Amino acid sequence: MKVKVNDIIIGERIRIDSGDLLSLQKSIEENGLINPLLISESMELIAGYRRLMCIKKLGWKEVDCKIVKVNSKVQKLDLEADENILRKDFTLDELAVYYKTREELTLTLFQKVWRSLGHFFSFLGNLLRRLMP
C-alpha cells in the first residue's frame, strides 16, 4: 500500500547507528524499493528506518508499506529486531560468484575476445613447456 512519507511516525528505535546510507540510497534510486517498509496501523515505523531515511533524501512523497497489526510493545520490538537479526548475508563464496558473474555480464565484446586470446596463449604456452625437453 502506498503511504505518504510525511505520515510515517518514527518512534523509539533499537538501531542507533544508521551507518553509511549512500550505497542504499543509490540502490533505491536505481532499482526502486525492493522491500516495502513495515508500519503499524497507527502509521508508526516498525522496520525499514534506513530505507525511509534514503527515501526522504531522494525526495519521495509516497512509499510502499506493509501495514501490520501490532498488539503490544513487545511484538513491535520483536518485529524490528527480526527484520535485522534473522536475515543472512552472502557468504564469501557467494559474493565471489556475484562479482565474477557481474564482471562476465558487463564485459564488452572486445574484452571477451581479448580474455579468450589470453587464455588460449596461456594454454598454448603450458602445452609447449610440457612438450619441450
Side-chain angles (χ1 to χ4, degrees), residues 31-44:
N31 303 311
L33 188 63
I34 297 170
N35 293 310
L37 305 180
L38 190 63
I39 61 173
S40 69
E41 293 171 317
S42 61
M43 304 297 282
E44 186 174 3

Side-chain angles (χ1 to χ4, degrees), residues 23-59:
S23 58
L24 178 58
Q25 183 177 328
K26 183 179 176 189
S27 173
I28 292 171
E29 186 173 33
E30 291 175 0
N31 303 311
L33 188 63
I34 297 170
N35 293 310
L37 305 180
L38 190 63
I39 61 173
S40 69
E41 293 171 317
S42 61
M43 304 297 282
E44 186 174 3
L45 181 69
I46 306 295
Y49 178 79
R50 296 178 75 243
R51 285 171 273 160
L52 180 59
M53 293 302 99
C54 292
I55 286 163
K56 285 183 174 188
K57 286 184 180 185
L58 290 169

Side-chain angles (χ1 to χ4, degrees), residues 12 15 25 27 29 41 47 51 55 62 73 78 94 100 104 106-107 110 114 116 128 132:
E12 287 188 38
R15 184 177 300 282
Q25 183 177 328
S27 173
E29 186 173 33
E41 293 171 317
R51 285 171 273 160
I55 286 163
E62 292 184 329
K73 289 182 179 184
D78 288 346
E94 291 165 338
K100 184 175 189 260
E104 291 293 327
T106 58
L107 288 175
F110 175 77
W114 187 256
S116 294
L128 288 173
M132 301 296 264

Side-chain angles (χ1 to χ4, degrees), residues 3-90:
V3 172
K4 291 181 182 177
V5 171
N6 290 334
D7 289 348
I8 298 172
I9 301 162
I10 301 172
E12 287 188 38
R13 313 285 311 149
I14 297 171
R15 184 177 300 282
I16 299 167
D17 180 9
S18 295
D20 179 20
L21 297 175
L22 194 57
S23 58
L24 178 58
Q25 183 177 328
K26 183 179 176 189
S27 173
I28 292 171
E29 186 173 33
E30 291 175 0
N31 303 311
L33 188 63
I34 297 170
N35 293 310
L37 305 180
L38 190 63
I39 61 173
S40 69
E41 293 171 317
S42 61
M43 304 297 282
E44 186 174 3
L45 181 69
I46 306 295
Y49 178 79
R50 296 178 75 243
R51 285 171 273 160
L52 180 59
M53 293 302 99
C54 292
I55 286 163
K56 285 183 174 188
K57 286 184 180 185
L58 290 169
W60 289 18
K61 302 297 180 210
E62 292 184 329
V63 62
D64 286 319
C65 292
K66 179 178 179 184
I67 299 175
V68 294
K69 183 175 182 177
V70 178
N71 298 317
S72 68
K73 289 182 179 184
V74 171
Q75 183 188 14
K76 178 183 172 281
L77 186 70
D78 288 346
L79 285 167
E80 181 185 352
D82 286 354
E83 166 85 359
N84 292 285
I85 294 171
L86 299 180
R87 65 179 188 79
K88 182 181 179 303
D89 289 334
F90 279 138

